[in-house]
């Protein structure tokens, strides 16, 4: 089993799921899209992922805000409304008889190309919409034992060539960082920004705790995660000091605790970075408290 923030419990029901593609449903092993699709050819598309608990699409408005913003940034004119997309998500859940502990991924590409090319003017149909819903619960191992990070040599870039806040299909940069981490014996990658400050991880947002204070990056060079924003807001509401600021590996190696945040895993403790122990062998007290508050926030959102 793959360890990390996306480590999930095995669920045999996922073998028989139906996948939504442009208005029709297909069995998992029959769900296909053209090799001329823009996403396959050049990574030209955007996506969003969110959780479903007790039939409720958790924090859905924030996720849709980000999807619409990302599509606008790269010039994809979404041919459906938010209401229509939500209806299609609910139809996908209904077809699969899904109600709780569900992970939904929505993917939108520019469409089918006339010929392999970067040029968006050669798109002859689209956009293409795919919705994948799976029975998916985070495995307890990562939550209980924490994860190990390795600082990648690949940097989170500046917004003048590919804004790190854009949730696009082009994730090769993050894949390369993760491969470095795996080859180094870690679970995931910690990434620095163009100035050498700590930015984020390859698929999650990074936080550290020092003397009771919570630190995270400025947000200029990372995906502004929904869970990240919820944790920052919780700190403010609960009067926990939280700084969004520049800090370096010097600070990280001396941290009392560290954790990462993401839609799937919530808060996951980090126990080792670059071979250096961070805190103890499990989540520290601030991480545990914030995780409890976050779970309570989800319960409030669905009731």
């Amino acid at each position: 089993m793959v360890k990390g923030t996306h480590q999930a419990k095995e669920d045999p029901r996922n073998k028989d799921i139906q996948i939504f593609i442009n208005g029709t449903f297909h069995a998992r092993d029959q769900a296909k899209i053209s090799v001329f699709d823009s996403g396959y050819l050049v990574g030209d598309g955007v996506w969003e992922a969110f959780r479903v608990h007790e039939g409720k699409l958790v924090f859905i408005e924030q996720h849709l805000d980000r999807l619409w913003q990302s599509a606008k940034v790269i010039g994809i004119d979404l041919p459906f409304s938010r209401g229509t997309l939500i209806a299609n998500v609910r139809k996908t859940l209904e077809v699969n008889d899904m109600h709780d502990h569900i992970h939904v991924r929505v993917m939108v590409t520019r469409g089918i190309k006339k010929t392999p090319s970067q040029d968006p003017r050669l798109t002859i149909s689209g956009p293409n919409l795919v919705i994948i819903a799976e029975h998916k619960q985070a495995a307890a191992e990562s939550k209980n034992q924490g994860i190990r990070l390795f600082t990648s040599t690949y940097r989170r870039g500046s917004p003048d060539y590919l804004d790190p806040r854009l949730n696009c299909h082009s994730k090769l940069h993050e894949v390369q960082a993760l491969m470095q981490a795996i080859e180094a014996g870690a679970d995931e990658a910690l990434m620095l920004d163009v100035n050498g400050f700590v930015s984020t991880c390859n698929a999650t947002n990074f936080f550290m705790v020092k003397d009771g204070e919570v630190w995270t990056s400025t947000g200029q060079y990372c995906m502004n995660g929904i869970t990240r924003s919820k944790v920052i807001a919780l700190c403010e509401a609960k009067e926990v000091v939280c700084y969004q600021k520049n800090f370096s590996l010097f600070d990280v190696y001396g941290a009392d605790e560290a954790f990462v945040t993401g839609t799937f895993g919530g808060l996951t403790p980090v126990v080792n970075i670059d071979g250096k122990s961070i805190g103890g062998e499990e989540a520290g007290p601030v991480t545990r408290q914030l995780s409890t508050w976050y779970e309570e926030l989800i319960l409030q959102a669905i009731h």
Side-chain angles (χ1 to χ4, degrees):
M1 181 180 288
V2 174
K3 187 180 178 185
T5 55
H6 289 81
Q7 181 181 359
K9 298 178 182 178
E10 292 292 332
D11 196 316
R13 292 175 294 178
N14 287 326
K15 294 179 181 178
D16 301 317
I17 60 172
Q18 295 285 314
I19 294 172
F20 178 102
I21 303 178
N22 294 330
T24 60
F25 288 94
H26 307 264
R28 185 185 190 115
D29 60 353
Q30 297 297 316
K32 298 177 175 63
I33 201 157
S34 172
V35 294
F36 286 92
D37 177 72
S38 300
Y40 178 76
L41 289 175
V42 291
D44 186 3
V46 293
W47 62 276
E48 197 60 45
F50 52 89
R51 302 287 295 164
V52 177
H53 291 296
E54 298 183 19
K56 301 292 180 63
L57 282 56
V58 181
F59 309 138
I60 186 63
E61 291 303 324
Q62 292 97 318
H63 284 286
L64 294 184
D65 284 345
R66 191 166 63 181
L67 179 65
W68 254 257
Q69 173 77 4
S70 295
K72 184 177 181 180
V73 165
I74 67 171
I76 293 180
D77 185 16
L78 298 178
F80 46 79
S81 66
R82 290 186 181 216
T84 298
L85 179 57
I86 290 176
N88 286 328
V89 170
R90 292 200 179 280
K91 190 182 299 183
T92 304
L93 297 173
E94 181 180 351
V95 165
N96 287 292
D97 192 25
M98 293 174 167
H99 307 282
D100 199 19
H101 300 296
I102 309 302
H103 187 263
V104 179
R105 185 174 177 122
V106 174
M107 296 175 284
V108 182
T109 67
R110 194 175 302 278
I112 304 300
K113 291 286 181 62
K114 180 179 180 180
T115 185
S117 171
Q118 295 180 7
D119 196 332
R121 294 169 297 182
L122 294 174
T123 306
I124 58 176
S125 70
N128 286 321
L129 171 64
V130 175
I131 302 172
I132 301 174
E134 292 182 299
H135 300 277
K136 212 167 183 181
Q137 280 186 271
E141 182 180 354
S142 292
K143 284 280 192 180
N144 295 336
Q145 299 178 8
I147 61 170
R148 301 166 61 91
L149 300 181
F150 172 81
T151 304
S152 172
T153 59
Y154 292 100
R155 301 291 183 93
R156 282 284 178 156
S158 60
D160 57 353
Y161 74 92
L162 182 61
D163 197 309
R165 296 172 296 174
L166 179 62
N167 212 12
C168 64
H169 280 209
S170 303
K171 292 292 182 184
L172 184 57
H173 194 63
E174 289 80 3
V175 172
Q176 289 177 293
L178 177 57
M179 287 177 64
Q180 273 193 331
I182 293 171
E183 290 166 358
D187 304 307
E188 296 193 7
L190 182 64
M191 301 180 73
L192 309 181
D193 66 25
V194 294
N195 300 305
F197 296 114
V198 173
S199 175
T200 187
C201 294
N202 60 278
T204 53
N205 289 123
F206 180 81
F207 288 78
M208 60 165 278
V209 180
K210 182 67 174 179
D211 298 329
E213 297 176 352
V214 177
W215 297 7
T216 191
S217 71
T218 63
Q220 293 177 300
Y221 299 97
C222 71
M223 173 61 64
N224 293 167
I226 308 301
T227 310
R228 175 184 187 270
S229 68
K230 297 299 180 184
V231 168
I232 293 170
L234 280 171
C235 286
E236 182 177 352
K238 302 293 186 179
E239 297 184 343
V240 175
V241 176
C242 181
Y243 293 114
Q244 297 177 67
K245 66 175 186 176
N246 289 323
F247 57 94
S248 71
L249 289 174
F250 176 89
D251 304 294
V252 169
Y253 294 154
D256 301 322
E257 304 174 36
F259 61 91
V260 295
T261 61
T263 294
F264 176 62
L267 278 71
T268 303
V270 174
V271 296
N272 189 286
I273 301 175
D274 298 336
K276 298 173 176 59
S277 295
I278 306 296
E281 296 182 354
E282 57 185 19
V286 176
T287 303
R288 289 197 302 270
Q289 180 63 80
L290 287 171
S291 185
T292 297
W293 286 336
Y294 179 70
E295 295 299 325
E296 291 172 352
L297 188 65
I298 291 177
L299 289 176
Q300 291 173 15
I302 64 179
H303 291 127

